[in-house]
Amino acid sequence: MTDRSLHALSIDDLSINFGGLRAVDRVTVTVEAGRIHGLIGPNGAGKTTIFNCITGFYRPTGGAIRVRDRDVTHLRPDQIARLGVARTFQSVQLFRNMSALDNVLVAKHSQMRTGVVAEGLALPFVRRQERLVRDKAEALMEFLGLTQIRRQAAGNLPLGSQKRVELARALALDPTLLLLDEPASGLNTSETQAFAEVLRTVRDRFKLTILLVEHDMGLVMNISDVITVLNFGRKIAEGPPRDVQSDPDVIKAYLGESAGVGAR
């Protein structure tokens, strides 16, 4: 019998239909705790749809999703977030007119349990919580190299910095499972390499499990422990990067008959 305690995420026979289109077709994936697990495939393969099912934005047509030992298939997004699931998006979703630090503080404040009356009266324990929240947010900014720009409006920052701010905001939720949807999108080669090192460090420092959707094959192959490949909503391959990059079905489906999947 498989030990579920080793699984940060279990997706079992997951399907979802949009009208007459089956976007995800009976996909089963197990993500082991502490791993960086890549999820790849051509555009339209169902990767982001699976993310939206995991986080409660979509309701599956069939199958089940478990976060550790909890069935989350029919939970709301806020309920799933409270179970330790955080995500980033394909396009950066920041409050552009707020400072980088305030974007992170928004996430930390969502965890406070002080109540409207206590906050209105500015009771001592509320002030203590606020100081603690700010200290933790500042620590995240420092960890991700954002201290010097923390007062700048998020919308004015370079894309690479915005990506880090969004990552800091996700980490502010104290997740155990982090879903990253194309985190290297729009970054140049040096920025992507730097971001890969950040993700490894984040995983190790915060004892996280990371599920990563990414089109940059160099990034995926270099940092993933396991890779699952989708095509037309179905799983066609799964395994260590070395096995996946030489799989004939992956080469055919993802890059065409004459191409190969290479690591940088």
Side-chain angles (χ1 to χ4, degrees):
M1 180 179 291
T2 302
D3 185 356
R4 285 189 180 274
S5 67
L6 299 177
H7 300 163
L9 175 70
S10 300
I11 300 171
D12 185 26
D13 215 26
L14 186 72
S15 296
I16 183 168
N17 298 338
F18 296 113
L21 172 67
R22 174 151 287 199
V24 177
D25 189 5
R26 303 185 67 177
V27 169
T28 295
V29 179
T30 298
V31 180
E32 293 186 20
R35 296 290 188 93
I36 297 178
H37 192 120
L39 185 63
I40 67 173
N43 288 329
K47 306 178 297 296
T48 297
T49 299
I50 288 177
F51 266 30
N52 286 333
C53 289
I54 295 169
T55 51
F57 289 99
Y58 292 165
R59 289 291 175 89
T61 305
I65 302 169
R66 301 182 70 87
V67 173
R68 296 185 300 279
D69 58 350
R70 179 73 181 272
D71 189 333
V72 302
T73 312
H74 301 294
L75 296 186
R76 300 189 309 267
D78 61 299
Q79 293 173 315
I80 295 171
R82 283 197 292 271
L83 292 174
V85 180
R87 73 173 290 182
T88 63
F89 294 84
Q90 287 181 355
S91 56
V92 176
Q93 302 288 322
L94 296 174
F95 298 104
R96 298 182 58 82
N97 293 325
M98 293 172 59
S99 72
L101 177 61
D102 284 341
N103 268 273
V104 179
L105 285 170
V106 165
K108 293 303 295 182
H109 275 293
S110 71
Q111 298 177 311
M112 291 179 64
R113 298 291 183 264
T114 52
V116 175
V117 174
E119 291 180 9
L121 295 173
L123 296 178
F125 80 93
V126 174
R127 293 197 296 271
R128 286 195 299 271
Q129 277 206 36
E130 288 180 341
R131 283 197 299 271
L132 181 61
V133 161
R134 180 169 288 274
D135 288 346
K136 288 184 176 180
E138 293 272 13
L140 279 173
M141 302 297 279
E142 181 178 2
F143 171 69
L144 291 172
L146 297 168
T147 299
Q148 298 301 316
I149 61 172
R150 69 188 187 282
R151 302 294 182 189
Q152 296 182 32
N156 295 336
L157 297 175
L159 180 60
S161 297
Q162 290 188 29
K163 295 271 188 178
R164 291 190 183 222
V165 173
E166 189 174 46
L167 178 59
R169 188 174 62 183
L171 292 173
L173 294 171
D174 297 324
T176 58
L177 174 62
L178 182 60
L179 310 182
L180 302 178
D181 197 351
E182 298 192 31
S185 175
L187 301 183
N188 61 36
T189 300
S190 61
E191 289 172 331
T192 298
Q193 291 172 346
F195 203 80
E197 291 305 316
V198 167
L199 293 184
R200 287 195 189 96
T201 305
V202 163
R203 187 267 308 269
D204 295 340
R205 173 164 175 170
F206 295 97
K207 310 301 181 187
L208 289 177
T209 304
I210 296 175
L211 181 60
L212 170 74
V213 165
E214 182 54 64
H215 283 295
D216 188 307
M217 288 296 97
L219 175 64
V220 175
M221 293 294 166
N222 284 330
I223 72 170
S224 298
D225 300 299
V226 178
I227 296 174
T228 299
V229 188
L230 303 176
N231 193 33
F232 295 113
R234 296 181 177 179
K235 184 170 80 172
I236 62 170
E238 187 172 73
R242 183 179 298 275
D243 294 345
V244 166
Q245 70 185 24
S246 60
D247 187 293
D249 289 335
V250 174
I251 295 170
K252 180 179 178 181
Y254 201 86
L255 294 176
E257 293 280 3
S258 61
V261 183
R264 289 178 184 167

